[in-house]
Amino acid sequence: TSIGVAYVPFNAEEGRYAEDEKEFLKEFFSLIEQAVLERVQTMQSLAASRDAAQHVNEFQAVERQIHLLQPPRELGAVHALVLDGIGEQRLFIEEWRGAVREGRSIDVASHPLVRSSSAKLHKAYARLMELYPSEGKNKEAMYSHLCALDFV
């Protein structure tokens, strides 16, 4: 499945993180990978005018798992921005499912929920770069994960 960005794995052991940050980031980016997979499969189903109920349910399950993560204080804003972005994606997907059921098309890239979600993911990445400006390969991994999660 093409996601429009080169995948770079996140390796918490390579970064300079406090122990609580390391554990959170490892789980956080692992869950983002799962969210990307389910979101892409959902989009493919909807683009082909097929119901995507199974993938939507999986996407929501990943969203719940991300919600349950306990971020260290420094990463609270990143966690909240990504969670809000995923929530907006879920709302958009529900709207898209309704359009598919009614035989209507929908413009993904210009939809307000897609635009708002994208802005939140960009802000989350900017915050990560403020916190970890010299992360090398993990900087690329953070970018690739959040970029892959973005619709646009």
Side-chain angles (χ1 to χ4, degrees):
T1 300
S2 174
I3 54 171
V5 65
Y7 172 75
V8 179
F10 180 80
N11 185 346
E13 302 306 319
E14 288 182 9
R16 296 185 186 137
Y17 312 107
E19 197 59 37
D20 60 342
E21 294 170 333
K22 184 186 298 187
E23 291 307 311
F24 172 79
L25 289 169
K26 187 166 45 175
E27 184 68 18
F28 187 60
F29 285 113
S30 174
L31 288 169
I32 287 174
E33 286 178 27
Q34 292 176 42
V36 168
L37 175 66
E38 296 304 333
R39 205 276 330 269
V40 167
Q41 290 176 331
T42 298
M43 289 181 69
Q44 289 173 336
S45 292
L46 292 173
S49 297
R50 293 189 314 266
D51 187 41
Q54 176 187 345
H55 300 302
V56 169
N57 290 340
E58 293 297 328
F59 186 72
Q60 289 173 331
V62 174
E63 179 185 13
R64 281 190 298 276
Q65 288 179 282
I66 292 172
H67 176 78
L68 293 173
L69 290 177
Q70 298 295 312
R73 187 179 51 78
E74 304 79 21
L75 290 163
V78 171
H79 180 251
L81 285 163
V82 170
L83 197 56
D84 288 349
I86 289 172
E88 289 178 343
Q89 289 182 4
R90 178 181 33 76
L91 292 173
F92 169 74
I93 287 167
E94 287 303 325
E95 192 173 315
W96 193 1
R97 287 178 77 197
V100 166
R101 282 191 293 270
E102 295 168 7
R104 293 183 293 114
S105 63
I106 197 162
D107 184 1
V108 176
S110 67
H111 195 282
L113 286 168
V114 170
R115 296 312 241 172
S116 179
S117 171
S118 180
K120 286 177 170 86
L121 296 173
H122 283 264
K123 285 180 188 173
Y125 177 73
R127 179 67 182 132
L128 284 167
M129 292 305 95
E130 289 171 14
L131 291 169
Y132 311 111
S134 58
E135 277 308 299
K137 201 72 168 168
N138 277 341
K139 189 183 281 193
E140 293 175 45
M142 292 172 183
Y143 176 81
S144 78
H145 281 73
L146 293 175
C147 192
L149 186 59
D150 199 347
F151 272 95
V152 292

